[in-house]
Each structure stands twice: as structure tokens, then as C-alpha cells.
């Protein structure tokens, strides 16, 4: 009786080895590469308007959009560069509105089929949108590329859910701080890459090559006219002056796709997988269907804060230009400074402050710092005072972003992390779609000081909401 039992025991398969959890470094690089491609377009909006306006004039989709902007500018009692300002705001809003709609959809789907598969889908869709941008010789195709990119922009919410999967409740905010550092680095280097790439016009090079080919073929009569005709066709159907930034963004997305396929292991525990809702609901509807409690209140807190802060960010270039005569190169210094403050805050200070004081206390301090910084920025008359206000606002934002996302995660059940964090990111996208338009209207209606004081006042609302939040339970 003993021999068979022993033989059976000896022949039994060895116990499976536990796969080590996915490192935060893999998630960090996934987010950073994605944001590099996403932010490349930021400094190009005014030049994009000039290009398509010269190409198409007041016709078609572009003409309708510019006509609406002009009517709004007249209503606001503004002139000058208001058309370029709102053009960039509208394009940014289109992208953010699509993020608002689809982020909870991708987050909820990742709760069922896993984070890795959804990331592969969304990054592939993002890459396709950059490919369309590369060939956007017409404004209509460019808009379609932006809409497609916004629809697939669920990467951040899914990656944030992956951070929640691989961190304990005690170090959740530290993990979210890693997301914040990747976010800050992406916003630091992406616009810089876009600005440099904009110096190289692939369409001009292609037109020059066509002219050289015509000369080499001995075409004398009608050569210039033929080259111009072919060049115009090339601009309409293929490359454009912004194809190189688009190509770089596409390259970053393809690198990210390969990186995820090779290095990103699934983080979602199969036992915690939920079910996809029977029908797709709006993000606000999904938020209202959540149980009443701190998770829902924290999402609303994040929405109000993002509405105010995004309005400040978007109107900042006009404040600096109006008061200090800043040129575009000077604005680059401001955003680099903000990016460095965010990286320092989220990479060093938050990682030490949260374990000692808790997420709620750090969040409250961050909201007060943002309120003080924006107030100072709205009333400054010197450049050093402006940078002091920027430092306070940037440090406060560095406190707020990782602690809010950590609190939303801690207040939410494990099987709904993707859905709830998708709603969280979606509400942030809606705020970033509305905030710049509202802030620009207030800026030209009442001026910089009144606008910034109003924004600072709005940040007091999430501060009061944060005071009422309970301390999260971390031993669950």
C-alpha cells in the first residue's frame, strides 16, 4: 500500500511557481511613453490653425469652426488672438470630451478581460490616430485623427488601475506618485520634442524633391506649375508641415505597443474580475450608480479641482504675455519649471509625506497651496513673484493628484478598480474640456486678476469636501 502511494507522490507535478508581480517601473515607462506622444501636439495648435487656414480658408469644417469662434469672441467683447486661443481650446476639448466618454468604458472592460489586453487595444488605436495625423493634409482628416485618438485614450485609467492591482493599500499613494512622475516627465519632454520637430517640414522637403526631379528630367515649360500642382496634391492627401511630430508620436506609440507586449504582465487577479455592464452608460451616470460614499464624493472633488486648475493652466500664457511680455520661448521655461516642480513633489515629497501624515492630510495641504499659488499669480507684478506662485500651485498639484487617485482607489472595492478609476479619469477629462473655455471667457470678460481670484475661490470647494472625507481603511 505504501509503494503505490509513494510512487504517485513522486510523480505528482511540482507546485506552480508564483509569478512575481509586475514592477511599477514597467507601468511607469508605459505611461511615460504614452504621454510623450500625447503631449507632442500641445505647442503646435497656433501654427496648425495658420496652416489649415492658409490651405482651406473659411470653408468646410474649418470655416464653420472659425465662424463659431468669431461669434463667441464678439460676444465676449474680445479681438486679437482670441481666434487662435479658442481654436486650441476647442481642439483640446474635442479630445478631452472623447476621453470623458470612453475612459470608464475601457476601465470597466479591463475589469473583465484584464489590463494588458485593454492597453494593447488602446495603444493600437492611439497609434492609428497618429498615423492619420501624419497624412492629415486636410483639416477634416486632422479632426478625425483627434477624435479617434480621444476615443482610444483610456491608457492612463487602465494603467492607474494596474498600479492599484500591484500595490498594497498602505503604499497605494506611493504607487500613484509613480504615475504622477511619469505624467510630469511626459508633459515636460513631449512639448519640447514637438517644438523641435516643428522646425522640420516634411511637406516642404517633398515639394523640393519634386522640383529637383522636374529639373533633372529637363522639364522647362510648365515645370513650376506642375510642381506646384503636385505639391498641393501632396499637401492635401499626404504629408503636411506637422507630419514629423506626428511620425514621432506614432513611433512612441509603436515602441509602447512592443513594450507592453513584451514586458507588461497581467496584473488583474482572475478572482477579482467583474462583469462588463449590459449597456454602456455615461461616465456621470456610472458615477451616480456607485454607492453613496467617499469614493463618489472624492470623484466630484477631483472634478471641481481639475476644472479650476485646467482653466489656470490654459490661461497662464496670456497672463505671462500681458504682464511680462513673454514670448513662446519664455512660456517653454514656465512649463519646464512646472514640470520639474511636479516631478520633485510627486517623486520625493509625496512618497515620504503620505506614510507619515496620510493621504487626506496631504490632499488638504495641497489644495491650500494651490489656492495660495493661484491667488498670488493673479496679483503679481514681478517675475520672481510669478514663479513663487507657480511653485506653490505646482507643489500643491503634486500633492493632490496622487493622493486623490489613491483615495478613490482605497474607497473602492477591488473588483471595480478599473471602472471607478476610469470614471475618475473621465471626470478629469470633462473638467479639462470645460475649464479652459470657461477661464478664457472670464479672462477676456473681467481680466486676469478677477479670473485668477475666481479660480482660487473655486479651489476652496474641494478643500471643504476633503475635510469631510473619512480616513481610508488600509488593512482590508
Amino acid at each position: 500500500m505504501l509503494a503505490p502511494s509513494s510512487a504517485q507522490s513522486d510523480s505528482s507535478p511540482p507546485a506552480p511557481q508564483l509569478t512575481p508581480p509586475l514592477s511599477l517601473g514597467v507601468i511607469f515607462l508605459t505611461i511615460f511613453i504614452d504621454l510623450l506622444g500625447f503631449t507632442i501636439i500641445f505647442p503646435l495648435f497656433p501654427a496648425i490653425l495658420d496652416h489649415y487656414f492658409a490651405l482651406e480658408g473659411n470653408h468646410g469644417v474649418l470655416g464653420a469652426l472659425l465662424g463659431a469662434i468669431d461669434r463667441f469672441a464678439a460676444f465676449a467683447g474680445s479681438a486679437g488672438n482670441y481666434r487662435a486661443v479658442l481654436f486650441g481650446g476647442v481642439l483640446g476639448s474635442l479630445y478631452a470630451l472623447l476621453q470623458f466618454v470612453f475612459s470608464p468604458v475601457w476601465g470597466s472592460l479591463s475589469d473583465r478581460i484584464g489590463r494588458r489586453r485593454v492597453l494593447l487595444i488602446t495603444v493600437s488605436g492611439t497609434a492609428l490616430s497618429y498615423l492619420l495625423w501624419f497624412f492629415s493634409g486636410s483639416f477634416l482628416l486632422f479632426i478625425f485623427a483627434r477624435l479617434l485618438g480621444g476615443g482610444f485614450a483610456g491608457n492612463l485609467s487602465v494603467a492607474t488601475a494596474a498600479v492599484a492591482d500591484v500595490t498594497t493599500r498602505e503604499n497605494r499613494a506611493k504607487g500613484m506618485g509613480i504615475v504622477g512622475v511619469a505624467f510630469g516627465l511626459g508633459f515636460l519632454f513631449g512639448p519640447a520634442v514637438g517644438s523641435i520637430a516643428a522646425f522640420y517640414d516634411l511637406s516642404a522637403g517633398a515639394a523640393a524633391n519634386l522640383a529637383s526631379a522636374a529639373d533633372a528630367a529637363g522639364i522647362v515649360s510648365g515645370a513650376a506649375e506642375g510642381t506646384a500642382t503636385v505639391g498641393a496634391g501632396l499637401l492635401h492627401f499626404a504629408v503636411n508641415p506637422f507630419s514629423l511630430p506626428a511620425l514621432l508620436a506614432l513611433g512612441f506609440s509603436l515602441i509602447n505597443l512592443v513594450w507592453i507586449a513584451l514586458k507588461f504582465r497581467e496584473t488583474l487577479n482572475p478572482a477579482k474580475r467583474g462583469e462588463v455592464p449590459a449597456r454602456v452608460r455615461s461616465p456621470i451616470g456610472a458615477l451616480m450608480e456607485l454607492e453613496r460614499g467617499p469614493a463618489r464624493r472624492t470623484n466630484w472633488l477631483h472634478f471641481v479641482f481639475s476644472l479650476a486648475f485646467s482653466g489656470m493652466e490654459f490661461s497662464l500664457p496670456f497672463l505671462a504675455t500681458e504682464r511680462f511680455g513673454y514670448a513662446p520661448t519664455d512660456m517653454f521655461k514656465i512649463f519646464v519649471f512646472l514640470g520639474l516642480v511636479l516631478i520633485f513633489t510627486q517623486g520625493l515629497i509625496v512618497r515620504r509625506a503620505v506614510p507619515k501624515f496620510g493621504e487626506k492630510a496631504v490632499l488638504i495641504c495641497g489644495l491650500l497651496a494651490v489656492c495660495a499659488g493661484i491667488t498670488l499669480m493673479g496679483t503679481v507684478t514681478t517675475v520672481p513673484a510669478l514663479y513663487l506662485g507657480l511653485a506653490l500651485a505646482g507643489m500643491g498639484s503634486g500633492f493632490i493628484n496622487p493622493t486623490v487617485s489613491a483615495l478613490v482607489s482605497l474607497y473602492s472595492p477591488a473588483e471595480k478598480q478599473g471602472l471607478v478609476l476610469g470614471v475618475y479619469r473621465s471626470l478629469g477629462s470633462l473638467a479639462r474640456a470645460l475649464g479652459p473655455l470657461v477661464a478664457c471667457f472670464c479672462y477676456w470678460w473681467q481680466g486676469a486678476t478677477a479670473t485668477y481670484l475666481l479660480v482660487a475661490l473655486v479651489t476652496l470647494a474641494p478643500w471643504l469636501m476633503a475635510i469631510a472625507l473619512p480616513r481610508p481603511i488600509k488593512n482590508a
Side-chain angles (χ1 to χ4, degrees):
M1 299 292 294
L2 293 176
S5 175
S6 176
Q8 184 178 3
S9 176
D10 292 340
S11 61
S12 61
Q17 303 246 344
L18 291 175
T19 303
L22 182 70
S23 70
L24 288 175
V26 174
I27 303 176
F28 169 87
L29 196 56
T30 300
I31 297 172
F32 173 63
I33 296 174
D34 182 72
L35 284 169
L36 273 180
F38 167 67
T39 56
I40 277 177
I41 196 174
F42 283 9
L44 306 178
F45 281 132
I48 288 175
L49 170 62
D50 293 339
H51 165 69
Y52 285 116
F53 182 73
L55 194 66
E56 302 180 13
N58 289 308
H59 302 289
V61 176
L62 178 60
L65 177 59
L66 291 178
I69 288 175
D70 289 341
R71 288 191 293 272
F72 183 82
F75 173 72
S78 178
N81 67 344
Y82 203 95
R83 172 183 273 200
V85 170
L86 280 188
F87 179 80
V90 168
L91 290 185
S93 295
L94 285 175
Y95 192 97
L97 284 173
L98 267 293
Q99 279 186 309
F100 163 67
V101 173
F102 283 97
S103 285
V105 175
W106 295 121
S108 180
L109 185 61
S110 76
D111 284 336
R112 178 169 182 177
I113 69 174
R115 318 299 186 203
R116 183 177 182 273
R117 290 174 64 184
V118 173
L119 280 174
L120 290 172
I121 294 171
T122 55
V123 173
S124 298
T126 302
L128 179 60
S129 74
Y130 294 142
L131 182 63
L132 287 177
W133 180 23
F134 180 88
F135 291 109
S136 294
S138 69
F139 182 73
L140 181 61
L141 189 58
F142 173 75
I143 287 292
F144 184 72
R146 293 295 295 168
L147 293 177
L148 182 65
F152 279 97
N155 310 356
L156 193 57
S157 62
V158 178
T160 305
V163 172
D165 294 336
V166 301
T167 55
T168 63
R169 299 177 71 84
E170 288 79 7
N171 65 0
R172 186 67 46 81
K174 186 183 294 184
M176 296 302 175
I178 294 293
V179 175
V181 173
F183 203 90
L185 285 172
F187 272 81
L188 178 62
F189 290 105
V193 172
S195 298
I196 295 171
F199 284 103
Y200 302 93
D201 185 350
L202 295 182
S203 63
N209 290 336
L210 287 172
S212 299
D215 292 339
I219 301 175
V220 179
S221 178
E225 181 180 353
T227 300
T229 302
V230 175
L234 184 67
L235 282 172
H236 189 72
F237 295 109
V239 297
N240 58 80
F242 310 99
S243 288
L244 182 56
L247 184 62
L248 292 176
L250 173 61
F252 288 133
S253 288
L254 293 178
I255 292 171
N256 207 14
L257 194 63
V258 173
W259 171 257
I260 293 169
L262 294 179
K263 297 293 185 180
F264 200 105
R265 296 187 301 275
E266 182 53 58
T267 63
L268 182 62
N269 188 334
K272 296 181 179 179
R273 296 193 179 187
E275 296 182 356
V276 178
R279 61 186 177 87
V280 176
R281 295 176 170 86
S282 69
I284 291 181
L287 178 64
M288 296 306 294
E289 289 181 3
L290 295 177
E291 294 182 7
R292 291 181 179 272
R296 194 162 81 173
R297 295 202 302 271
T298 308
N299 265 307
W300 283 120
L301 179 157
H302 169 66
F303 172 77
V304 177
F305 165 73
S306 298
L307 185 72
F309 197 81
S310 64
M312 180 277 294
E313 282 183 312
F314 197 83
S315 59
L316 180 59
F318 314 113
L319 171 70
T321 300
E322 175 187 332
R323 292 193 177 170
F324 307 110
Y326 268 33
T329 52
D330 298 312
M331 285 310 308
F332 173 75
K333 298 174 187 176
I334 284 182
F335 284 104
V336 167
F337 177 78
L338 273 176
L340 291 174
V341 171
L342 283 172
I343 293 167
F344 174 77
T345 303
Q346 298 185 22
L348 295 177
I349 301 178
V350 171
R351 294 166 65 87
R352 292 177 171 84
V354 169
K356 185 174 182 180
F357 302 106
E359 292 85 358
K360 177 181 173 180
V362 175
L363 170 62
I364 290 173
C365 290
L367 288 166
L368 287 177
V370 168
C371 182
I374 294 177
T375 300
L376 181 60
M377 291 161 60
T379 56
V380 295
T381 56
T382 64
V383 172
L386 173 66
Y387 275 87
L388 177 60
L390 285 169
L392 285 172
M395 184 172 292
S397 176
F399 285 161
I400 293 165
N401 290 323
T403 52
V404 168
S405 55
L407 286 171
V408 170
S409 175
L410 291 170
Y411 291 144
S412 306
E415 67 276 8
K416 291 185 178 180
Q417 290 287 313
L419 173 62
V420 177
L421 287 169
V423 171
Y424 164 79
R425 293 295 176 189
S426 182
L427 286 176
S429 298
L430 178 62
R432 287 188 294 275
L434 299 177
L437 295 178
V438 174
C440 281
F441 174 77
C442 292
Y443 191 103
W444 267 268
W445 181 35
Q446 292 293 329
T449 300
T451 300
Y452 273 66
L453 291 179
L454 177 62
V455 169
L457 185 63
V458 171
T459 60
L460 291 179
W463 175 70
L464 292 173
M465 296 169 70
I467 291 176
L469 289 175
R471 180 179 294 273
I473 300 174
K474 298 187 179 182
N475 57 2

